[in-house]
C-alpha cells in the first residue's frame, strides 16, 4: 500500500475547553516525510489505524463523518468533493458557528430556531462565533433563548452576555463586542403605560369603582376605572376596554384630557398615565368580581368631595380640567391616523385644533361631550 506524503495533507487535532470538539487544519509540507494512510481520528483516543483497499485514496474518519484524499489532489467529505484545502477548512469551520444574520446596525442576530440542543455544542459554537464576529468587525449580538432551552442561559452569561429583557417564552441576552467602545445597543423598555377613564353621563354623574385589592391607605376610595395598555394596543382603545372590563359599561373615546409622567414606580420603571374622557353608550353596570369590589354612578360634586380626592392637588387639577372641557374652556387631544414615510406604517398622532376654517371637522374643541 502506498503512503501519503505530509505535503498532501496533515491532520491536526485540536481539543477545545470542553475536551471533545476537533477541527482540521491544513499545514505546509514537511519535505520527505511519509506517513501511513491507515489511521483515523477518534473523539477520545486520537489517531487509530484503519485498512484501505485502494492505492489511490486515503481516508480519515472524523466522528460520524469522513474526509478522503482523492487521486486528483482534492478531498471528499461525507461524499462531497472538496477541491481545495481552503474549501475543506471552511466546511469544517462553518459547522462550528451559530446560525445568525446581520442586523442593520452592524451587529448580528442569532437564529434562535436553529440553536443546538446540546449545551456542550452550544458552548463551543458560541465561543467560535464570537471570535468570528469579532474578526469581521461586528458590533452587538442579540441572543434570544427560548424557555425550552433555558439551560443555555448560564453558558451565555459565562461568555460575557448580559440580560436585556424577558417575556413568558424567552429571555433576550446581548453582547457588545468592541470593548474599547461604549455599547450602543438600545436599553430595555423604560416605561409602562396606564389609562384612566373619566366617564360622565347626562346627569353629571361620573362612573367610579372600588378596587377589591388595594393599599390600606385607599380602602373605600371611589376612583376612576384604570388599567394598563396591552402590547400593540392604542391608548384610546385601551381606555374603552378597561372601562368595559371593570364596569360592563360601553363607552366611546372622546379625547385625552391630560397625562401624568412619574418615575421609579413599578420595577423601578417610569410610568405614563393618560386620563381619557369617554362618552357612555350604556349605563348598566356589571362589575368584574375578580378585581372590582363595587361600581356605581356617583354625582361629580360628591366624587370630588371625597377627602383623598380633595386633598390631592394633582387629581383636583384633573377634575378642574374635565369641568373646563365640558364648558368648552379647554380642548384635549384626539387621535388622528397618519402614515409616516420613515417606516411606512400608520400610527396615531394626538393633537387638537381649536379653529380650522379650511376644515371644521379637524376641530374637536367645539364638539359637545354629551349626545
Amino acid at each position: 500500500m502506498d503512503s501519503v506524503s505530509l505535503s498532501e495533507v496533515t491532520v491536526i487535532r485540536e481539543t477545545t475547553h470542553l475536551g471533545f470538539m476537533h477541527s482540521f487544519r491544513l499545514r505546509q509540507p514537511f519535505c520527505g516525510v511519509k506517513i501511513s494512510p491507515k489511521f483515523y481520528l477518534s473523539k477520545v483516543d486520537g489517531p487509530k489505524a484503519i485498512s484501505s483497499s485502494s492505492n489511490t485514496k486515503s481516508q480519515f474518519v472524523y466522528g460520524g463523518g469522513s474526509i478522503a484524499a482523492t487521486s486528483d489532489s482534492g478531498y471528499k467529505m461525507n461524499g462531497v468533493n472538496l477541491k481545495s484545502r481552503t474549501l475543506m477548512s471552511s466546511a469544517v469551520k462553518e459547522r462550528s458557528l451559530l446560525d445568525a444574520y446581520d442586523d442593520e446596525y452592524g451587529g448580528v442576530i442569532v437564529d434562535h430556531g436553529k440553536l443546538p440542543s446540546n449545551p456542550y455544542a452550544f458552548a463551543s459554537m458560541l465561543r467560535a462565533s464570537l471570535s468570528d464576529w469579532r474578526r469581521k468587525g461586528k458590533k452587538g449580538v442579540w441572543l434570544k433563548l427560548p424557555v425550552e432551552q433555558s439551560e443555555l442561559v448560564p453558558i451565555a452569561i459565562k461568555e460575557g452576555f448580559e440580560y436585556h429583557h424577558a417575556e413568558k417564552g424567552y429571555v433576550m441576552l446581548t453582547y457588545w463586542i468592541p470593548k474599547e467602545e461604549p455599547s450602543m445597543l438600545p436599553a430595555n423598555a423604560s416605561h409602562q403605560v396606564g389609562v384612566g377613564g373619566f366617564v360622565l353621563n347626562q346627569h353629571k354623574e361620573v362612573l367610579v369603582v372600588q378596587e377589591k385589592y388595594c393599599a390600606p391607605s385607599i380602602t373605600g376610595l371611589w376612583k376612576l376605572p384604570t388599567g394598563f395598555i396591552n402590547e400593540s394596543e392604542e391608548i384610546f382603545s385601551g381606555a374603552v376596554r378597561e372601562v368595559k372590563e371593570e364596569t360592563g359599561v360601553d363607552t366611546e373615546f372622546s379625547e385625552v384630557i391630560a397625562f401624568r409622567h412619574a418615575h421609579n414606580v413599578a420595577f423601578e420603571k417610569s410610568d405614563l398615565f393618560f386620563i381619557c374622557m369617554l362618552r357612555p353608550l350604556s349605563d348598566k353596570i356589571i362589575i368584574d368580581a375578580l378585581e372590582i369590589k363595587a361600581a356605581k354612578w356617583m354625582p361629580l360634586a360628591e366624587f370630588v368631595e371625597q377627602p383623598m380626592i380633595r386633598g390631592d392637588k394633582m387629581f383636583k387639577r384633573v377634575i378642574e380640567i374635565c369641568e373646563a372641557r365640558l364648558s368648552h374652556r379647554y380642548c384635549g387631544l384626539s387621535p388622528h391616523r397618519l402614515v409616516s414615510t420613515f417606516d411606512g406604517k400608520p400610527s396615531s398622532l394626538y393633537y387638537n385644533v381649536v379653529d380650522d376654517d379650511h376644515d371644521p371637522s379637524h376641530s374637536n374643541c367645539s364638539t359637545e361631550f354629551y349626545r
Side-chain angles (χ1 to χ4, degrees):
M1 180 179 298
D2 296 336
S3 61
V4 178
S5 171
L6 278 175
S7 63
E8 294 176 352
V9 63
T10 297
V11 182
I12 294 190
R13 173 185 177 187
E14 295 181 350
T15 304
T16 68
H17 66 290
L18 296 173
F20 73 95
M21 298 295 292
H22 305 82
S23 63
F24 291 92
R25 190 175 296 167
L26 298 175
R27 310 292 269 182
Q28 295 299 319
F30 293 89
C31 297
V33 180
K34 302 286 184 176
I35 63 170
S36 170
K38 304 176 183 180
F39 73 94
Y40 71 94
L41 290 182
S42 165
K43 287 185 177 180
V44 178
D45 301 325
K48 290 187 178 180
I50 63 171
S51 61
S52 174
S53 59
S54 173
N55 291 330
T56 61
K57 295 182 178 180
S58 297
Q59 187 176 38
F60 310 95
V61 179
Y62 179 73
S66 64
I67 299 176
T70 63
S71 58
D72 60 354
S73 298
Y75 300 92
K76 182 177 288 186
M77 177 184 291
N78 294 334
V80 178
N81 288 321
L82 305 175
K83 292 297 184 180
S84 69
R85 297 173 179 178
T86 301
L87 183 58
M88 184 181 74
S89 177
S90 298
V92 175
K93 182 179 180 181
E94 288 176 1
R95 293 191 303 167
S96 67
L97 300 179
L98 295 172
D99 285 287
Y101 51 93
D102 294 343
D103 64 19
E104 55 185 311
Y105 304 104
V108 293
I109 300 173
V110 177
D111 189 342
H112 66 276
K114 296 181 180 179
L115 292 171
S117 58
N118 188 299
Y120 300 103
F122 172 75
S124 178
M125 295 171 73
L126 180 60
R127 179 168 291 183
S129 296
L130 286 172
S131 297
D132 183 66
W133 296 327
R134 185 176 291 108
R135 178 180 60 81
K136 292 178 178 178
K138 298 300 181 183
K139 301 287 188 178
V141 182
W142 296 89
L143 176 61
K144 182 179 181 180
L145 296 179
V147 67
E148 297 81 8
Q149 292 181 276
S150 58
E151 70 276 8
L152 304 182
V153 173
I155 298 174
I157 295 297
K158 187 175 181 180
E159 290 298 327
F161 278 79
E162 297 179 345
Y163 291 110
H164 187 268
H165 69 273
E167 297 290 345
K168 289 183 178 180
Y170 70 88
V171 59
M172 181 69 77
L173 304 174
T174 60
Y175 188 99
W176 183 251
I177 295 178
K179 301 300 183 184
E180 68 281 1
E181 300 178 13
S183 175
M184 299 299 291
L185 294 176
N188 183 25
S190 59
H191 285 67
Q192 63 181 13
V193 181
V195 288
F198 188 89
V199 186
L200 200 67
N201 63 19
Q202 68 271 26
H203 306 297
K204 216 172 184 181
E205 295 172 328
V206 62
L207 182 62
V208 293
V209 299
Q210 283 185 344
E211 293 185 343
K212 195 170 186 178
Y213 305 101
C214 60
S217 59
I218 61 173
T219 299
L221 173 68
W222 291 99
K223 57 182 285 294
L224 302 180
T226 60
F228 291 106
I229 296 294
N230 293 328
E231 186 176 353
S232 300
E233 184 178 40
E234 297 283 353
I235 293 172
F236 58 85
S237 57
V240 170
R241 174 187 53 78
E242 280 292 342
V243 170
K244 176 67 174 180
E245 289 179 356
E246 293 191 1
T247 69
V249 175
D250 294 308
T251 60
E252 179 183 51
F253 178 85
S254 176
E255 55 202 55
V256 171
I257 290 299
F259 68 89
R260 181 208 64 186
H261 193 194
H263 306 286
N264 295 318
V265 184
F267 309 108
E268 300 180 357
K269 300 295 183 181
S270 296
D271 179 90
L272 286 168
F273 183 73
F274 292 85
I275 299 99
C276 305
M277 290 197 75
L278 308 173
R279 298 184 184 92
L281 301 178
S282 65
D283 55 12
K284 184 178 180 181
I285 294 177
I286 304 174
I287 66 170
D288 176 11
L290 292 177
E291 60 174 318
I292 299 300
K293 181 180 179 181
K296 67 178 182 178
W297 293 99
M298 174 183 279
L300 180 59
E302 182 182 340
F303 174 67
V304 297
E305 284 302 313
Q306 294 182 98
M308 286 199 65
I309 299 296
R310 189 173 53 191
D312 189 306
K313 293 182 179 179
M314 181 179 294
F315 204 87
K316 184 179 179 181
R317 174 61 65 180
V318 169
I319 298 301
E320 291 173 351
I321 293 173
C322 290
E323 291 179 325
R325 171 62 185 91
L326 295 176
S327 59
H328 304 292
R329 294 181 291 108
Y330 178 87
C331 187
L333 306 176
S334 294
H336 302 264
R337 297 293 284 176
L338 299 170
V339 177
S340 172
T341 56
F342 286 102
D343 56 12
K345 298 178 181 179
S347 58
S348 296
L349 181 65
Y350 287 77
Y351 64 89
N352 63 37
V353 179
V354 177
D355 188 14
D356 189 341
D357 295 333
H358 300 289
D359 189 351
S361 65
H362 284 180
S363 176
N364 58 287
C365 298
S366 58
T367 305
E368 290 294 337
F369 185 73
Y370 303 115
R371 289 188 176 181

